[in-house]
Amino acid sequence: LEELEAFLSGTSSTAGWVVKAEHGNAGLANRRLARPGLSAADQRFVEDRLAEDDHLVVEPWLPRDRDWCVVFDAPFDPGNLRIHETLCTAAGALIGALFEPERDAAMLSYEELGVMAENVAARLDREGYFGPVCVDAFTWHDADRSRLRTFVDLNCRLSMSDAAHRLWQRIAPERTFFYRFFNRRKLNLGTDLPIALGALGPRRYDRRSRRGILIASPLGLGKVAIAFVAQGRSEVFELERWFRERFES
C-alpha cells in the first residue's frame, strides 16, 4: 500500500488511474482511482487485493473512444478470428455486444489486432494452454489522434458474447445486432412474457423482416438481455433509445 501511495504521489494523470489485480475476476478486481490520493474505500480495495496476491497493475485511465473484443483460439486458426465492438459504461463496465455483417469503416486496426491475437495464441500454446481466448482492446483519443490499445485484458475462456454471437448468426446474420444487458430493477417491463411482448407493439422482433426488439433472456433474472435487430447502426440505436425511454426508470 505504501509503495502504491508513493507512486501515485510522484506521478500525474489528468484522467486518473486504474488499479488492477493480476487476475481481474471479470472486472471485479479493477478499481478506478478518481483522485490523486487513496480514499478509505480505495485503501480497503488495495489491501484486499494484496491479501490475495502480491501483484497489482497500475495504469493511466485513457479517454476511450470504442471498445473491442478479439475472439480466437489457441493454437491460432485465422479462420476462427473474429472482432466485434463491445459497449461499455463511461467507467468501463460491460453493457453489451454489437455485431455487424460488414466490417465497420472505423475498424481500421483489424490487421493489427489480428497480429496481436496470433502472438498471444503462440505464447499461450508454449505455456500449454489450448482452447478459446478473448482479449479486450480499445481505441482512445490522444489530442487529435485516435490510438489503439491492442491488449487490455486476457481471458482464457469463451467470450461473454459467445451465445449472443451464435444467436445473431442463427436468426439475422445479415442485420446489425445489438445484444444489451439491463438491470431488471430499473426496467418497467414486468416478468410476464406475453404482456411484455404486447408492450413492445410493432417494434417487437418480426421473424419475416428480421427486425425489431427481441427479449433474449428470462425476464425474472437480475440482468435482462434485450437484442435490437435492424438494418444498420443508426436504426439499432434508435430502437434502443425508444426502448430505454419507454421502459427504463
Side-chain angles (χ1 to χ4, degrees):
L1 179 62
E2 293 75 15
E3 184 179 354
L4 174 62
E5 289 177 323
F7 169 80
L8 294 175
S9 64
T11 57
S12 63
S13 172
T14 56
W17 299 91
V18 182
V19 178
K20 303 165 64 174
E22 188 171 26
H23 302 286
N25 299 328
L28 298 178
N30 301 347
R31 185 174 181 85
R32 183 179 180 184
L33 306 179
R35 56 184 182 178
L38 295 178
S39 67
D42 294 335
Q43 291 185 26
R44 287 194 300 271
F45 173 85
V46 170
E47 289 170 344
D48 288 345
R49 300 293 76 74
L50 291 175
E52 298 172 348
D53 199 357
D54 58 356
H55 287 81
L56 279 178
V57 178
V58 185
E59 299 178 348
W61 181 266
L62 299 176
R64 295 179 353 271
D65 176 30
R66 296 174 70 173
D67 296 273
W68 307 98
C69 181
V70 186
V71 182
F72 53 99
D73 293 323
F76 187 72
D77 178 356
N80 291 335
L81 172 68
R82 62 178 173 85
I83 301 171
H84 68 267
E85 187 173 357
T86 54
L87 281 295
C88 301
T89 66
L94 178 68
I95 293 175
L98 183 71
F99 303 99
E100 298 182 85
E102 298 181 1
R103 190 181 304 176
D104 192 302
M107 191 58 203
L108 301 176
S109 304
Y110 193 98
E111 289 74 16
E112 189 173 350
L113 289 172
V115 171
M116 176 277 295
E118 188 170 7
N119 291 337
V120 169
R123 175 66 181 273
L124 290 173
D125 186 47
R126 291 196 298 271
E127 296 291 336
Y129 176 81
F130 60 91
V133 187
C134 55
V135 171
D136 298 325
F138 62 77
T139 52
W140 60 285
H141 293 297
D142 182 12
D144 58 347
R145 295 177 55 201
S146 179
R147 300 181 62 181
L148 174 69
R149 175 76 188 274
T150 59
F151 187 96
V152 179
D153 282 312
L154 168 67
N155 304 284
C156 292
R157 55 164 171 76
L158 291 172
S159 71
M160 294 287 287
S161 58
D162 184 70
H165 179 264
R166 286 185 279 117
L167 177 61
W168 170 55
Q169 287 291 293
R170 179 176 178 178
I171 68 169
E174 76 286 0
R175 303 285 190 227
T176 299
F177 188 92
F178 181 25
Y179 187 92
R180 183 190 163 138
F181 295 107
F182 289 87
N183 188 327
R184 184 171 65 88
R185 290 177 298 175
K186 298 181 179 180
L187 207 57
N188 302 315
L189 197 59
T191 58
D192 185 279
L193 182 59
I195 293 176
L197 291 174
L200 294 176
R203 292 177 176 84
R204 172 182 172 180
Y205 179 74
D206 180 74
R207 292 186 178 184
R208 288 173 295 180
S209 65
R210 302 197 179 200
R211 282 186 171 92
I213 301 172
L214 175 68
I215 298 174
S217 73
L219 290 169
L221 299 179
K223 293 285 187 181
V224 176
I226 304 293
F228 304 92
V229 190
Q231 184 61 37
R233 293 174 66 92
S234 60
E235 288 187 22
V236 154
F237 290 130
E238 175 60 26
L239 279 176
E240 183 215 15
R241 183 196 60 78
W242 176 86
F243 181 86
R244 294 185 65 187
E245 290 179 353
R246 173 67 175 79
F247 298 107
E248 196 174 41
S249 59

